[in-house]
């Protein structure tokens, strides 16, 4: 869907959206040395890579990622946001909603449906604190080493506001008996939340 016809059907609805780079995998995309406003990433690339790892590679570079998938289950959506994606769009043929999602992500706003926002707030991973969407984004980005200035830009807030989200998240992790104070500590907590340990 993405490789074959994305450019034509997106431009038919939103002429200002240009598909500048196309690749069959993240490594191939990064080899193009792109500087795109939004990266549309398919959940299943068919190359043996994990979508969470793909999202993390792109986010670490500073990309804004909108994940696309045929899967509508809430857990896929939650996992995408945990990995650092700003949005998740189900490939259902609704080009207008995809255009809205691209515009949201391009301006740093989350492209989340109500179901996803609810799922994030109710994530039941053992011992995982219940974070707001903003706290989740700050924790995910900071845990990947993204500077707080960039984190604030991604959220469309002032840097002190981003720090307040991080402090609230710290308080919640502390209350759960899993405190962190350094980025290395936070990376450990994120690995635990993903079940990597």
């Amino acid at each position: 869907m993405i490789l074959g016809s994305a450019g034509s059907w997106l431009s038919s609805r939103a002429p200002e959206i240009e598909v500048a780079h196309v690749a069959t995998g993240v490594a191939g995309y990064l080899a193009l040395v792109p500087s795109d406003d939004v990266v549309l990433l398919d959940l299943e690339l068919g190359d043996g890579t994990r979508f969470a790892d793909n999202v993390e590679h792109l986010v670490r570079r500073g990309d804004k990622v909108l994940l696309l998938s045929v899967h509508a289950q809430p857990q896929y959506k939650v996992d995408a946001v945990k990995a650092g994606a700003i949005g998740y769009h189900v490939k259902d043929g609704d080009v207008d909603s995809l255009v809205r999602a691209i515009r949201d992500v391009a301006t740093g706003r989350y492209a989340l449906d109500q179901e996803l926002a609810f799922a994030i707030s109710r994530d039941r991973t053992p011992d995982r604190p219940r974070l707001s969407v903003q706290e989740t984004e700050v924790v995910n980005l900071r845990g990947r080493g993204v500077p707080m200035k960039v984190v604030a830009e991604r959220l469309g807030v002032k840097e002190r506001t981003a720090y307040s989200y991080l402090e609230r998240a710290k308080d919640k992790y502390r209350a759960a008996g899993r405190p962190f104070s350094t980025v290395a500590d936070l990376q450990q907590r994120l690995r635990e939340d993903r079940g990597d340990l």
Side-chain angles (χ1 to χ4, degrees):
M1 179 186 93
I2 300 303
L3 296 178
S5 57
S8 60
W9 49 255
L10 280 173
S11 62
S12 70
R13 293 294 210 295
E16 78 279 10
I17 295 178
E18 174 192 356
V19 177
H21 300 94
V22 177
T24 58
V26 170
Y29 174 73
L30 294 176
L32 299 172
V33 194
S35 57
D36 300 316
D37 295 323
V38 178
V39 176
L40 301 180
L41 176 66
D42 201 308
L43 184 131
E44 295 177 348
L45 296 178
D47 60 0
T49 57
R50 294 176 53 224
F51 79 87
D53 294 335
N54 289 330
V55 172
E56 287 184 17
H57 287 310
L58 294 166
V59 168
R60 194 176 302 121
R61 204 181 74 100
D63 290 314
K64 297 174 182 174
V65 179
L66 174 60
L67 202 67
L68 305 177
S69 176
V70 296
H71 301 289
Q73 296 93 323
Q75 193 56 52
Y76 281 105
K77 299 178 182 182
V78 170
D79 290 345
V81 172
K82 283 182 184 178
I86 296 186
Y88 187 104
H89 184 80
V90 177
K91 295 187 286 189
D92 58 2
D94 184 353
V95 179
D96 292 329
S97 68
L98 176 57
V99 167
R100 284 193 299 274
I102 291 170
R103 287 175 176 153
D104 283 344
V105 171
T107 57
R109 293 191 304 265
Y110 274 94
L112 308 177
D113 56 28
Q114 287 183 336
E115 178 186 46
L116 177 52
F118 181 79
I120 290 170
S121 71
R122 298 290 182 251
D123 185 10
R124 297 291 190 234
T125 304
D127 300 324
R128 180 177 171 83
R130 291 174 59 177
L131 305 180
S132 70
V133 171
Q134 294 88 349
E135 291 162 358
T136 299
E137 178 72 352
V138 170
V139 163
N140 284 331
L141 291 173
R142 192 68 192 117
R144 287 165 181 78
V146 177
M148 285 303 288
K149 181 178 180 182
V150 177
V151 171
E153 290 170 0
R154 283 276 301 266
L155 270 69
V157 299
K158 293 182 178 177
E159 196 169 345
R160 70 174 180 262
T161 304
Y163 271 109
S164 73
Y165 291 137
L166 182 61
E167 288 305 315
R168 284 187 225 158
K170 281 184 179 180
D171 289 343
K172 291 178 180 179
Y173 270 93
R174 191 177 304 111
R178 302 172 60 221
F180 68 85
S181 56
T182 66
V183 172
D185 293 340
L186 178 53
Q187 290 169 341
Q188 175 71 15
R189 298 295 167 260
L190 291 172
R191 285 193 294 270
E192 292 166 358
D193 288 343
R194 290 195 305 266
D196 292 352
L197 298 177

